[in-house]
Amino acid sequence: HRDLHSFPTRRSSDLIWNDNKDLQLLKEIAAEGVIKHKYLSRERGSAWQTAADSLNGYKEGGLKELSARSVRDRYTVLQKKH
């Protein structure tokens, strides 16, 4: 008998990433120049938010509402993967 709380759950509103969405994400990160700002700086945080806001404008791409944190987390996953 396992504790049900030990398993991650997905809500229907969770974003499912794919190659096209990843490409959009990377283009926005490059366009905003996120990486050029000092790690943990206010400017870098602002750039992450701007990238998330831009991605939120792509409703035709099926993207759900993204936060700066979700964009940053996905970038980290891609960075570790490649």
Side-chain angles (χ1 to χ4, degrees), residues 3-71:
D3 182 70
L4 293 177
H5 298 291
S6 64
F7 293 100
T9 59
R10 281 201 164 268
R11 294 182 308 271
S12 62
S13 63
D14 284 352
L15 173 66
I16 306 297
W17 289 96
N18 62 32
D19 290 344
N20 290 333
K21 292 173 187 172
D22 287 341
L23 185 57
Q24 282 181 318
L25 168 88
L26 294 172
K27 285 179 179 180
E28 285 301 328
I29 290 171
E32 292 305 322
V34 172
I35 307 306
K36 74 177 182 179
H37 299 292
K38 185 178 175 184
Y39 183 69
L40 295 178
S41 69
R42 189 172 290 171
E43 293 81 11
R44 190 164 175 155
S46 178
W48 282 118
Q49 185 61 56
T50 303
D53 292 343
S54 295
L55 287 167
N56 286 328
Y58 294 125
K59 295 301 179 197
E60 70 278 355
L63 290 170
K64 303 287 185 189
E65 189 70 20
L66 296 171
S67 66
R69 175 70 183 260
S70 62
V71 170

